[in-house]
Amino acid sequence: MQPDQHVVVIGNGIAGITLAQRLRARSDCRITIVSSESALHISRPALMYVYMGHMRQQDITPYPDWYWKEKKIELVHDLVLSIDFDQKALKLQNGAFLAYDQLVLATGSSAVYYNWPGQHLKGVQALISLQDLELMQQQTIGIKQAVIVGGGLIGIEMAEMLQSKGVEVTMLVREKLYWSTNLPEQEAKLVTQHILNCGIDLCLQDEVTEIVGDEKGNVRAVKTKSGVELPCQFTGIATGVKPNIAFLKNTALEIDKGIMVNHFFETSIPDVFAIGDCAQFKDPAPGEPALEQLWYTGRQHGEALSAILTGTRNAYHRGPWFNSAKFLNIEYQTYGFVPRHWDDLIYSSLYWEHPVKTKAIRLFYERESGILKGINLLGIRFRHDLCHHWLQEKYTIHQVMEQLPAVNFDTEFFQRYEPELLKQYYQQYPDRQEPARQHTWWKLRHRLSLFSEKSDNN
Amino acid sequence: MVTTATNKLYLYFKYLGYTLLAISALCFLTTITGGNTINPVVWGMSGIGLLILGGLIAIVCSRLPKHVAHQNNGLWQKDLTSRGISAWALGILLTGFYILLYWFPETLQGLIVALEPFSQWLRNKPSDQWFLYGTFYTLAVMLMGVYALLKYRNNRYHLIRTCSVIFFQLGFAFILPGLLLAFNQPEFYFSYFWPLKYDYLFPSTVGYLIDNGQALGVFMVFWGAVLSFLATPVLTYFYGKRWYCSWVCGCGGLAETAGDPYRHLSDKSKKAWQWEVAIIYPILGFVIITTLLLWINSWSGGSLFGDLSGGFSRSYGFFIGSIFSGVVGVGFYPIMGNRVWCRFGCPMAAYLGILQKHFSRFRITTNGGQCISCGNCSTYCEMGIDVRWYAQQGEPIIRSSCVGCGICAHVCPRGVLKLENGPREGRYHGTTLIEREAVTILS
């Protein structure tokens, strides 16, 4: 890309800033990032730690001010009101216009509300942005009870935040178990039980019908389908997110749920691209989601588009899925794809769960071919590089079991539980032999070349 | 999880603990100011008893009801742990104690007398200001060791590590030197080595140990030299700097226990790092050169420098030993964090750091592409390392200042960090799962 080109990125979330950083590594072009949320990029998943007092707002800023100056990436802290695609310019709230040669939309997403009566009452809010955090800090001062609507990852974060301030929390979850839209029953049960043990109340298989206010317009209670009225002074909305595209409606840009893109992140308008939460793939591969709304996929979109913009026109290919979360103190990692339920004739899984502690491992694979499809981990850490390699290279469960002792990433002195899983495996496949020689992680890493070629850290 | 009723009970007991601590403070005040009108042993020992009892009650009742994931709640919101007024007050109190101890020990006479029977029993020697200091130091490591054990109770690395620093402080830095004195041997700390204990390899110390300790003295000299020049490089090769700084060392022991509530206050700016490099290596160089000069002087029969040894010991001991490691190092815990001395002043840390960076199998591995840049690791790094900088780029963290305390790995909400030892080949290579850029933050 030519140095005189001006790339403007709307949004300073992980997708937008990754794009800008990687673009800078490849090109001398002019780069500007516009954000109305914050002057500097913040780590969105870390908002909860600011609320709980583990960190201050400046601590969740991964790159300091000088970094952006050194990298010659211009930052504009302003709201984009509209885009003139013909003139190739943005209209900002302060009245200025910003011209671009290439525009990257990385506007992220916002909370979904389902038009419940009373959803605009004071004390009812979601938690996505920095502004949401500030609002939540104000709205939860001195309150006693709170209700969280929705049983997802943001829901449990809000519950933990509120609990840290001594607030009694009830979560309203539509399903039979917490996050059972994503987790198989055994994992969902384990996490559900853990949440209850931690003193957070779960209202399962129930939904909100109305949010009730008092005479001052503050939330007073949440009414549910089963007829319960849960008193509360705060209601957290955690029923999912939708792309931030309201300001793009009625423009020439093709949108659906999100901004429609192909696998080169090209939108319907030339020189306009979309990445991250706000992008929607026109033709996702079978079994793949059209919207990828994760921190990690945002970063991968940014990396992929930076290559595309600088002339390496390779279609985006995500590679094996991975994600992580934390349910109070249970860390969760997932690699590849483990569905919530499956056909036992086609798929099988090895599952081990600690009888007392909140730990579990599941290896999910195709029955006939034995090919590993996914891994679920609760309270145990595996090495991402090795799991990625297994999934990428379509290892069978038998090959995986040979390397299993090398995959653990838990802290030193922690008890290892892989032997439990191996025991189960050898019971199930008695004709399989333990390999004569166990490779350590370092040997495997070397043998399989699971490291970057050049080392940049010196 | 505990119910509300139990929580209330914990709260009441916590206040009881605070009350006992306040009474203990009054006892100490009486001991110091009472002069001849009171019995200092009764008042002083009551103060210590109440300090232990009240401290334990307060620590247990504040840590135990708190969920393991909530141990850092409110650290940046509470006055005492976010450089508020009470933090400054505590800083001034600690600094004041050091100033009295170093320069006006006669003001602490009451407390010194209070420990007289204990000193006689343990060391068969009269109590002095350094015994007073050692006693309180060890008490702080033990009491706040309980705090660290409860705070990190779900992590075996920290349980073992905390027990280790308590063991070395109590056994090697308090009881053993006391017993040596009781048996009329030279006082010697087996857990401190040159260049931290810079004078252990000075000709004057070596001469004194051999003359006064006979066979044991020879062993002490041998031990000190072997630990400094053989064991340190070998252990650092296998385990990194952590085998000493956060497992054995007394300064580290205090930082990891009493200083733990202040670890997030360390300065993470680029400027701080530049200061660190500019101060710590010259100090190491100073100790090395002086040790060499002293030996040359000694072999030449003192004809070269005369009484340089004494002059040096006095000035270095004053500026580095007293002011830096004591007054600033510990007194400023509540303001500048718990590793100011280790980070900016300790020659041993500099020596270990060079070994760790260039001749060690140790590194902190980051787990593929899992980092979410949240910043907990950097915030809770007591050495002010911007751990996140490396983690978010998928690079291993190999930094000379890392003391291997392992808290970054503990506070990481995604389990991205692991302290481990591996082959030196490819030690700097990162994951293939994140694209990274070459930026040096030191430049």
Side-chain angles (χ1 to χ4, degrees):
Chain A
M1 183 172 291
Q2 298 303 312
D4 59 342
Q5 294 281 297
H6 186 199
V7 177
V8 174
V9 185
I10 304 181
N12 69 353
I14 183 65
I17 71 119
T18 305
L19 169 81
Q21 291 175 305
R22 303 298 170 254
L23 197 55
R24 175 53 77 233
R26 293 182 160 98
S27 158
D28 292 328
C29 65
R30 185 179 164 205
I31 304 172
T32 305
I33 304 177
V34 189
S35 165
S36 62
E37 184 185 8
S38 58
L40 296 175
H41 162 63
I42 56 153
S43 167
R44 200 170 302 291
L47 289 173
M48 63 182 293
Y49 298 105
V50 175
Y51 182 90
M52 298 200 295
H54 295 206
M55 288 188 277
R56 300 160 298 172
Q57 199 184 310
Q58 62 259 45
D59 299 322
I60 66 166
T61 306
Y63 300 91
D65 210 21
W66 59 259
Y67 169 85
W68 302 105
K69 292 196 182 88
E70 195 175 293
K71 292 270 136 189
K72 297 193 179 62
I73 294 171
E74 295 166 47
L75 304 177
V76 176
H77 188 188
D78 205 340
L79 179 70
V80 176
L81 293 178
S82 60
I83 304 169
D84 186 336
F85 291 110
D86 298 326
Q87 298 295 318
K88 289 185 143 186
L90 312 178
K91 191 180 180 204
L92 302 178
Q93 199 168 35
N94 71 4
F97 287 88
L98 188 65
Y100 65 82
D101 296 303
Q102 267 90 25
L103 178 67
V104 179
L105 299 162
T107 56
S109 46
S110 53
V112 182
Y113 288 70
Y114 289 96
N115 292 320
W116 302 290
Q119 69 179 26
H120 298 298
L121 287 165
K122 251 197 274 172
V124 181
Q125 70 160 103
L127 177 66
I128 310 278
S129 67
L130 194 60
Q131 286 71 30
D132 292 335
L133 172 74
E134 283 157 6
L135 186 66
M136 187 167 164
Q137 284 169 331
Q138 293 161 21
Q139 302 210 95
T140 53
I141 294 171
I143 67 162
K144 295 262 183 296
Q145 300 141 307
V147 171
I148 305 296
V149 180
L153 299 181
I154 298 181
I156 190 66
E157 283 184 9
M158 288 180 101
E160 184 177 352
M161 290 158 74
L162 291 159
Q163 205 195 23
S164 79
K165 299 283 176 202
V167 178
E168 282 174 41
V169 187
T170 307
M171 291 180 79
L172 265 182
V173 177
R174 197 169 48 183
E175 289 76 28
K176 211 165 69 182
L177 294 166
Y178 170 79
W179 218 38
S180 55
T181 47
N182 286 64
L183 293 175
E185 195 176 337
Q186 283 161 304
E187 284 95 314
K189 260 190 187 150
L190 189 155
V191 177
T192 304
Q193 193 53 49
H194 181 66
I195 293 172
L196 289 170
N197 290 347
C198 286
I200 292 170
D201 212 5
L202 283 172
C203 237
L204 298 166
Q205 290 180 291
D206 210 348
E207 286 174 61
V208 58
T209 50
E210 187 189 344
I211 304 168
V212 192
D214 61 13
E215 61 283 357
K216 284 186 202 144
N218 294 319
V219 59
R220 179 176 64 78
V222 168
K223 274 190 188 162
T224 76
K225 217 172 215 171
S226 64
V228 187
E229 189 174 303
L230 300 161
C232 64
Q233 299 82 49
F234 178 85
T235 304
I237 304 297
T239 43
V241 292
K242 60 170 200 283
N244 269 333
I245 49 167
F247 76 115
L248 296 166
K249 278 188 181 137
N250 308 316
T251 65
L253 194 70
E254 189 192 342
I255 54 175
D256 176 40
K257 282 193 193 109
I259 302 159
M260 301 306 282
V261 295
N262 59 17
H263 277 82
F264 302 96
F265 301 103
E266 293 161 339
T267 66
S268 60
I269 297 176
D271 292 328
V272 179
F273 304 83
I275 51 172
D277 282 18
C278 69
Q280 180 182 352
F281 292 110
K282 259 186 258 180
D283 45 359
E288 303 273 302
L291 291 143
E292 294 182 336
Q293 294 169 310
L294 291 186
W295 171 269
Y296 304 118
T297 48
R299 188 174 68 208
Q300 287 169 311
H301 290 184
E303 288 176 355
L305 180 58
S306 74
I308 292 166
L309 285 178
T310 47
T312 317
R313 203 170 179 277
N314 292 335
Y316 167 69
H317 173 68
R318 195 194 58 227
W321 178 266
F322 70 99
N323 196 13
S324 69
K326 200 171 180 187
F327 309 112
L328 300 148
N329 63 319
I330 303 183
E331 283 170 21
Y332 160 73
Q333 290 185 346
T334 187
Y335 299 103
F337 182 59
V338 183
R340 49 193 283 240
H341 45 67
W342 55 84
D343 185 344
D344 275 331
L345 292 172
I346 303 172
Y347 295 105
S348 183
S349 83
L350 283 173
Y351 180 76
W352 166 85
E353 190 178 296
H354 196 288
V356 187
K357 289 180 184 160
T358 40
K359 291 176 187 292
I361 307 172
R362 182 186 299 280
L363 300 180
F364 176 72
Y365 58 98
E366 256 174 19
R367 201 174 265 283
E368 199 174 327
S369 64
I371 290 173
L372 179 76
K373 297 310 248 182
I375 302 168
N376 268 355
L377 299 160
L378 290 169
I380 288 181
R381 307 165 179 176
F382 274 9
R383 289 187 193 267
H384 186 182
D385 299 278
L386 191 53
C387 292
H388 180 91
H389 177 81
W390 290 346
L391 292 159
Q392 184 93 325
E393 302 300 321
K394 300 202 164 39
Y395 271 47
T396 65
I397 186 75
H398 314 297
Q399 292 170 296
V400 165
M401 292 322 260
E402 283 176 17
Q403 298 183 355
L404 195 71
V407 80
N408 186 285
F409 196 72
D410 280 332
T411 307
E412 287 166 304
F413 305 128
F414 271 49
Q415 174 138 20
R416 300 279 181 262
Y417 295 104
E418 288 75 33
E420 306 277 339
L421 205 66
L422 280 167
K423 211 193 297 170
Q424 215 185 91
Y425 168 77
Y426 287 118
Q427 273 167 8
Q428 210 165 324
Y429 297 92
D431 50 326
R432 293 274 162 182
Q433 294 290 313
E434 256 183 88
R437 207 155 52 94
Q438 289 291 354
H439 282 297
T440 65
W441 156 245
W442 299 109
K443 289 252 172 62
L444 278 181
R445 176 181 186 249
H446 185 77
R447 207 181 74 197
L448 309 171
S449 296
L450 300 180
F451 50 84
S452 65
E453 280 311 310
K454 65 174 200 272
S455 67
D456 304 304
N457 174 357
N458 46 45
Chain B
M1 201 66 186
V2 281
T3 59
T4 330
T6 339
N7 264 337
K8 273 216 175 102
L9 202 65
Y10 274 121
L11 197 67
Y12 292 142
F13 270 95
K14 192 163 86 178
Y15 289 138
L16 173 70
Y18 289 153
T19 313
L20 295 178
L21 285 176
I23 301 173
S24 150
L26 286 175
C27 288
F28 288 136
L29 205 64
T30 315
T31 317
I32 294 170
T33 56
N36 294 328
T37 56
I38 54 131
N39 181 343
V41 176
V42 172
W43 283 91
M45 292 315 273
S46 308
I48 289 180
L50 287 168
L51 175 72
I52 295 171
L53 188 67
L56 280 178
I57 292 174
I59 286 166
V60 169
C61 294
S62 68
R63 289 296 127 192
L64 210 52
K66 234 183 215 171
H67 199 279
V68 286
H70 287 182
Q71 295 290 330
N72 285 330
N73 278 355
L75 271 185
W76 271 117
Q77 291 159 347
K78 284 176 199 147
D79 194 62
L80 188 59
T81 49
S82 62
R83 302 195 188 105
I85 294 169
S86 52
W88 279 96
L90 181 62
I92 290 167
L93 189 76
L94 286 170
T95 312
F97 174 73
Y98 273 95
I99 291 172
L100 294 183
L101 185 77
Y102 283 131
W103 294 290
F104 310 100
E106 64 282 359
T107 54
L108 300 172
Q109 196 54 35
L111 284 173
I112 294 170
V113 175
L115 291 175
E116 181 63 26
F118 182 45
S119 178
Q120 288 292 351
W121 175 78
L122 178 70
R123 317 191 300 165
N124 202 18
K125 285 264 174 334
S127 172
D128 57 20
Q129 86 218 64
W130 305 120
F131 184 67
L132 169 73
Y133 181 43
T135 307
F136 275 85
Y137 197 104
T138 309
L139 261 179
V141 171
M142 291 175 73
L143 273 177
M144 289 302 280
V146 174
Y147 166 97
L149 289 172
L150 290 172
K151 182 171 175 181
Y152 303 117
R153 60 184 179 266
N154 58 333
N155 191 319
R156 260 165 109 173
Y157 183 79
H158 297 304
L159 294 179
I160 298 172
R161 190 175 58 80
T162 306
C163 289
S164 173
V165 294
I166 295 174
F167 168 79
F168 279 104
Q169 175 57 38
L170 180 66
F172 280 60
F174 187 67
I175 294 177
L176 200 54
L179 289 178
L180 285 171
L181 283 179
F183 289 99
N184 274 321
Q185 295 296 328
E187 190 178 22
F188 192 82
Y189 295 81
F190 287 94
S191 54
Y192 288 103
F193 329 112
W194 184 92
L196 172 55
K197 203 81 176 141
Y198 51 91
D199 58 347
Y200 270 13
L201 290 183
F202 281 3
S204 53
T205 315
V206 170
Y208 168 80
L209 286 176
I210 293 174
D211 291 345
N212 292 277
Q214 286 96 30
L216 187 62
V218 173
F219 174 73
M220 285 167 179
V221 173
F222 174 74
W223 171 266
V226 165
L227 261 293
S228 295
F229 298 119
L230 191 67
T232 294
V234 170
L235 287 169
T236 311
Y237 172 77
F238 285 107
Y239 304 108
K241 196 170 169 174
R242 52 191 178 148
W243 74 268
Y244 189 68
C245 295
S246 50
W247 284 75
V248 173
C249 177
C251 309
L254 191 72
E256 294 296 335
T257 52
D260 184 81
Y262 300 106
R263 54 171 59 249
H264 55 288
L265 300 176
S266 60
D267 190 342
K268 277 88 185 176
S269 68
K270 195 162 71 163
K271 199 97 220 139
W273 188 5
Q274 288 162 346
W275 275 109
E276 183 184 317
V277 175
I279 300 171
I280 197 164
Y281 295 111
I283 291 182
L284 174 64
F286 192 54
V287 172
I288 292 172
I289 289 168
T290 310
T291 309
L292 286 174
L293 287 179
L294 287 174
W295 277 105
I296 294 169
N297 189 39
S298 154
W299 287 323
S300 71
S303 58
L304 244 58
F305 309 109
D307 184 39
L308 184 109
S309 166
F312 169 80
S313 282
R314 276 193 293 279
S315 53
Y316 183 91
F318 177 76
F319 285 110
I320 306 296
S322 313
I323 296 191
F324 209 150
S325 78
V327 178
V328 179
V330 180
F332 290 10
Y333 268 9
I335 305 301
M336 295 175 70
N338 57 337
R339 284 274 192 180
V340 175
W341 158 249
C342 315
R343 188 179 173 194
F344 296 99
C346 177
M348 183 78 185
Y351 172 43
L352 286 162
I354 293 169
L355 292 171
Q356 165 159 286
K357 172 121 182 153
H358 300 288
F359 310 99
S360 173
R361 292 164 55 86
F362 173 68
R363 84 286 314 270
I364 304 176
T365 307
T366 62
N367 199 8
Q370 292 273 17
C371 177
I372 52 168
S373 297
C374 72
N376 273 297
C377 51
S378 295
T379 302
Y380 288 91
C381 177
E382 54 190 354
M383 296 301 282
I385 299 170
D386 194 353
V387 184
R388 167 175 57 192
W389 181 273
Y390 303 85
Q392 65 195 356
Q393 301 207 48
E395 286 181 14
I397 295 113
I398 299 166
R399 283 280 297 270
S400 51
S401 59
C402 173
V403 290
C405 70
I407 297 294
C408 55
H410 181 76
V411 295
C412 174
R414 296 294 185 270
V416 175
L417 302 161
K418 180 178 165 76
L419 286 72
E420 58 185 346
N421 316 305
R424 287 177 39 75
E425 191 203 345
R427 189 166 166 239
Y428 282 94
H429 288 298
T431 179
T432 56
L433 301 175
I434 307 181
E435 275 189 37
R436 76 194 111 252
E437 56 189 314
V439 172
T440 47
I441 25 180
L442 193 53
S443 65

